[in-house]
């Protein structure tokens, strides 16, 4: 699975790498909001990307929604949810898959499965939910709708994949009928949908996520075939009609160039750790909190961005929380917000251990005249920002 991310980038975000002069036009059109989608438009919950940090992109693959409902009023859930974390300086790429049944608190809604955030508030609420749940910034999103999934597969001429065991399931209420035989075969759009929507695995949602990763890898291999180049015009039109994103065309071009430079040893995939459990008769995926926290640190906060404490050193109410939010939007993980030993700090001060000087310098760029101070005895790994009277 070492090439998983590169395959996914090509399959979902950068499918027109070979278009040449038409590249900008295609993604300019792709980036326009879909007028048929009431959830499209500018997001308010994505974060500003800070140069030198990790770029986090949320990928949402939608389900079929309510059978029989008009598309104008349909409420699609996110059947697939992945966060791609990119460090351009290190050419490091990590992908975290979030099971659709993960039990979370959706802002303004309450405790639900995480896939319901898309249905309640579109990509805007999905972004905010993932940010709050993982404690990370999300800088961009990509949404692939249900209809588009099948059409993209058909535009590719099908996807070859090895099905290990028979897959049989019927859900008349959901108009879902799955009947796939084992063996190496080429799946068209309808059969591909059956493969990724099948849920009756021994390991539940975790096994389903693994199957989806396997399918996306197969899509990538299909796209890399020379014969796919002849199908690009049709593929491009299909992507334009069925993908919504806030990634601008020039950004896409830069990311595409980056993807081609990534070594396979620097690509890692992760699945949220946890287990299936019934609560009040509802099946949820419950994360193992301690393991999840360790995984989040490993994926999103290694090296370039560390844990940070923010202390109020000027006495103004709420100032530490304000600075903490700004730091989190820049990609830092704020683990403590409290008062300093006094409110007499004239200048904002950044105290850091020797091994975290690079982090302190990145934080200092956020402020106008921050003072940096190295403390050899400071707790290792924890850079501290003391907010002075130069900030209101």
């Amino acid at each position: 699975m070492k090439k998983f991310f590169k395959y996914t980038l090509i399959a979902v975000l950068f499918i027109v790498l070979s278009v040449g002069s038409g590249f900008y036009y295609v993604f300019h059109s792709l980036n326009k909001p879909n007028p048929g989608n009431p959830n499209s438009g500018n997001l308010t919950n994505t974060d500003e990307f800070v140069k030198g940090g990790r770029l986090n992109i949320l990928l949402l693959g939608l389900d079929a929604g309510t059978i029989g409902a008009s598309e104008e009023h349909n409420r699609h859930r996110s059947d697939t949810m992945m966060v791609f974390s990119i460090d351009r300086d290190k050419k490091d790429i990590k992908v975290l898959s979030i099971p659709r049944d993960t039990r979370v608190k959706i802002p303004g809604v309450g405790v639900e499965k995480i896939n319901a955030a898309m249905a309640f508030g579109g990509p805007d609420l999905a972004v905010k939910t993932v940010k709050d749940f993982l404690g990370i910034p999300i800088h961009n999103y990509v949404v692939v709708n249900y209809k588009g999934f099948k059409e993209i597969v058909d535009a590719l001429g099908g996807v070859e994949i090895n099905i290990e065991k028979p897959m049989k399931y019927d859900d008349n209420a959901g108009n879902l009928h799955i009947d796939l035989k084992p063996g190496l075969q080429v799946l068209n759009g309808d059969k591909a949908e059956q493969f990724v929507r099948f849920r009756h695995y021994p390991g539940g949602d975790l096994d389903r996520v693994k199957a989806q990763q396997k399918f996306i890898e197969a899509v990538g291999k299909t796209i890399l075939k020379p014969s796919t180049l002849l199908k690009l015009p049709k593929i491009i039109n299909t992507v334009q009609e069925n993908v919504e994103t806030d990634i601008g065309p020039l950004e896409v071009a830069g990311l595409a160039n980056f993807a081609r430079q990534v070594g396979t040893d620097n690509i890692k995939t992760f699945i949220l750790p946890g287990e299936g459990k019934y609560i009040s008769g509802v099946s949820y995926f419950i994360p193992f909190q301690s393991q999840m926290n360790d995984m989040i640190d490993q994926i999103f906060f290694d090296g370039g961005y560390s844990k940070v404490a923010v202390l109020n050193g000027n006495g103004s109410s709420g100032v530490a929380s304000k600075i903490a939010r700004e730091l989190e939007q820049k990609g830092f993980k704020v683990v403590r917000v409290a008062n300093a030993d006094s409110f007499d700090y004239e200048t904002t001060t950044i105290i850091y251990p020797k091994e975290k000087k690079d982090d302190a310098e990145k934080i200092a760029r956020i402020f106008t005249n921050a003072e940096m101070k190295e403390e050899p005895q400071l707790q290792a790994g924890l850079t501290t920002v003391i907010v002075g009277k130069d900030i209101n």
Side-chain angles (χ1 to χ4, degrees):
M1 278 234 176
K2 289 184 177 180
K3 295 184 179 179
F4 165 72
F5 180 76
K6 186 173 290 187
Y7 291 150
T8 305
L9 279 181
I10 298 172
V12 181
L13 302 176
F14 313 122
I15 203 166
V16 292
L17 282 178
S18 302
V19 175
S21 62
F23 186 85
Y24 183 92
Y25 171 78
V26 169
F27 274 93
H28 176 71
S29 300
L30 177 65
N31 196 50
K32 291 179 180 178
N34 179 356
N37 182 357
N39 296 323
S40 65
N42 294 326
L43 288 182
T44 58
N45 285 319
T46 49
D47 296 302
E48 179 183 354
F49 175 67
V50 57
K51 186 177 181 181
R54 300 196 72 93
L55 173 68
N56 300 327
I57 302 173
L58 178 63
L59 172 64
L60 301 161
L62 306 188
D63 66 10
T66 304
I67 302 300
S70 64
E71 192 58 29
E72 182 181 358
H73 300 100
N74 211 337
R75 293 169 58 176
H76 297 275
R77 293 174 179 248
S78 51
D79 208 43
T80 300
M81 183 175 285
M82 301 177 182
V83 181
F84 296 83
S85 187
I86 302 167
D87 189 319
R88 296 196 200 195
D89 293 337
K90 296 181 179 179
K91 292 185 173 55
D92 172 81
I93 301 170
K94 298 175 182 178
V95 186
L96 175 64
S97 292
I98 305 172
R100 54 170 282 163
D101 290 343
T102 303
R103 191 172 189 262
V104 300
K105 183 176 182 180
I106 299 177
V109 176
V111 175
E112 288 275 357
K113 297 181 179 181
I114 197 167
N115 67 336
M118 184 70 193
F120 281 111
D124 189 26
L125 186 57
V127 165
K128 181 168 178 54
T129 300
V130 171
K131 285 173 52 176
D132 290 353
F133 172 56
L134 297 180
I136 64 170
I138 296 293
H139 305 104
N140 295 107
Y141 76 96
V142 176
V143 179
V144 183
N145 67 36
Y146 166 78
K147 170 174 164 285
F149 172 81
K150 295 193 293 184
E151 292 187 359
I152 289 173
V153 172
D154 285 335
L156 288 169
V159 174
E160 185 178 63
I161 196 167
N162 182 40
I163 298 178
E164 299 176 2
K165 298 179 180 179
M167 304 172 77
K168 177 75 174 177
Y169 176 71
D170 288 289
D171 179 4
N172 293 323
N175 195 28
L176 176 63
H177 304 283
I178 299 174
D179 188 8
L180 298 175
K181 309 299 182 185
L184 184 65
Q185 55 199 284
V186 177
L187 303 181
N188 62 16
D190 286 332
K191 290 186 176 180
E193 178 201 354
Q194 294 178 37
F195 181 81
V196 298
R197 293 186 68 188
F198 186 75
R199 302 188 68 180
H200 291 266
Y201 294 102
D205 220 11
L206 286 179
D207 284 349
R208 185 168 183 265
V209 169
K210 292 177 183 178
Q212 290 176 347
Q213 291 183 340
K214 177 181 178 180
F215 178 80
I216 293 177
E217 180 181 359
V219 171
K221 291 179 179 178
T222 300
I223 291 174
L224 292 177
K225 293 180 180 178
S227 59
T228 302
L229 290 176
L230 300 176
K231 303 170 185 174
L232 275 176
K234 184 177 181 180
I235 295 171
I236 292 167
N237 289 333
T238 304
V239 171
Q240 282 183 278
E241 294 171 357
N242 296 288
V243 175
E244 177 189 348
T245 180
D246 67 342
I247 304 176
L250 295 181
E251 295 173 274
V252 171
L255 287 170
N257 182 59
F258 163 80
R260 290 181 290 184
Q261 303 174 37
V262 176
T264 55
D265 291 339
N266 291 334
I267 301 168
K268 295 180 174 63
T269 61
F270 303 81
I271 300 175
L272 204 68
E275 63 181 352
K277 185 177 292 186
Y278 278 90
I279 299 178
S280 300
V282 179
S283 174
Y284 291 100
F285 178 81
I286 308 298
F288 298 141
Q289 192 66 46
S290 178
Q291 294 179 28
M292 185 182 85
N293 291 341
D294 290 342
M295 182 176 287
I296 290 171
D297 285 343
Q298 180 183 357
I299 297 172
F300 301 102
F301 300 105
D302 62 330
Y305 289 90
S306 67
K307 298 176 181 178
V308 180
V310 181
L311 306 181
N312 185 340
N314 69 18
S316 297
S317 177
V319 69
S321 296
K322 175 185 174 183
I323 296 302
R325 287 193 297 271
E326 291 182 10
L327 288 171
E328 287 175 341
Q329 289 175 357
K330 302 296 184 182
F332 295 93
K333 185 174 184 180
V334 178
V335 296
R336 183 183 176 218
V337 178
N339 289 329
D341 53 354
S342 77
F343 292 146
D344 297 327
Y345 285 83
E346 295 294 332
T347 304
T348 296
T349 304
I350 302 170
I351 303 174
Y352 62 94
K354 183 177 181 180
E355 66 273 16
K356 292 297 182 180
K357 183 177 180 180
D358 288 345
D359 288 326
E361 290 176 343
K362 289 177 182 177
I363 295 173
R365 296 189 197 115
I366 300 174
F367 304 98
T368 303
N369 295 304
E371 178 182 335
M372 293 179 58
K373 184 177 180 181
E374 181 180 317
E375 287 282 357
Q377 303 302 319
L378 191 67
Q379 180 183 355
L382 187 61
T383 302
T384 301
V385 178
I386 302 178
V387 183
K389 294 180 181 180
D390 55 336
I391 295 179
N392 296 319

